[in-house]
Amino acid sequence: MTPKAPKAGRRILLEHIGPLWRRMSFSWKVSARNILRYKRRFLMTVIGVSGCTALMLVGFGLHDAIWDIIDVQFGQIQRYDMTVSIARGLDDASAGRVRRTLVDGGAKHLTRVDARAMLAKGSGSDDLTYGTWYATAPAGQEACDRLADALRADRAVATVGYVQTTVGTYRTMLSAIDVIVVVLIVAAAALAFIVLYDLTTIDIGERIREIATLKVLGFRRGEVDAYVFREVAVLVLVGALAGLGLGTWLEGFVITTVEVDVVMFGRTIHAASYLWAFLLAGLFAAVVMLAMRPRLAAIDMVESLKSVD
């Protein structure tokens, strides 16, 4: 009628590291033994937390990859602020006139690019020479507007474009995609909370007699909470660190899978994204611990010790 005796315990790896093991307190020694004693719980918690952390990091990484398109394209690749396209065949007189207008308007670092466009055969037209001026725009919105008006007044100028206008258009388009990223992050965060809550509930349910014994031995409420939640914190820490590595690989796989030939996404996950994913995992672990405190306090030591299982 008595319960089956537990298996004899073995020494864990930390016990073989004498200087470290001797400096650990009794409570930390017990926690270390318990973590490695319940191997199934250890694997379930680490896998669950690492998966949720990886999904959160993928969400943050996608945000970085999408928005890096603007920063890289218009910050590192394209060094100019404005473009001026010629409409009616670029000759020396037109080129000089446009250049003088740009210089007088405060534009700097002018670069002229010419090309030759071949019209379709049978149109009766000769080859058309066209060109584009690239420059750094003058400082101030009013100066840019005056320069644009002066250029558009020239019949040789077809279009005048500013990079900031293009960047604003891209930001508006990418903001719609950003909503999907937020949904992914929120879903991963909610999943992390549910996984931690369920695993902690199962852990406490399986160790009711053990916790009741601690209360009989005189452990105060704070000491009982620390006894249980210390193990949860260590498992969350291990799972979150593993999730950062898994999330890095998963984010790279997602980016290379959805990428097309005409668009190259960013390849770098920002340090802040790693930090936020790690902190969110820790935050949900702390919330779960606070939610579980009343359940630990409600354990009846007498009734629990009466139960055989």
Side-chain angles (χ1 to χ4, degrees), residues 49 53 56 192-193 196 232-233 236-237 239-241 274-290:
V49 173
T53 305
M56 287 189 288
F193 178 81
L196 285 172
V232 177
V236 170
L237 177 62
L241 292 176
Y274 285 102
L275 181 62
W276 276 112
F278 184 83
L279 290 179
L280 284 176
L283 174 63
F284 290 126
V287 172
V288 169
M289 293 177 192
L290 291 175

Side-chain angles (χ1 to χ4, degrees), residues 46-58 185 187-196 243 246 277 281:
V46 170
I47 292 174
V49 173
S50 62
C52 298
T53 305
L55 289 177
M56 287 189 288
L57 183 60
V58 168
I185 295 174
L191 180 61
F193 178 81
I194 294 172
V195 168
L196 285 172
L246 177 62

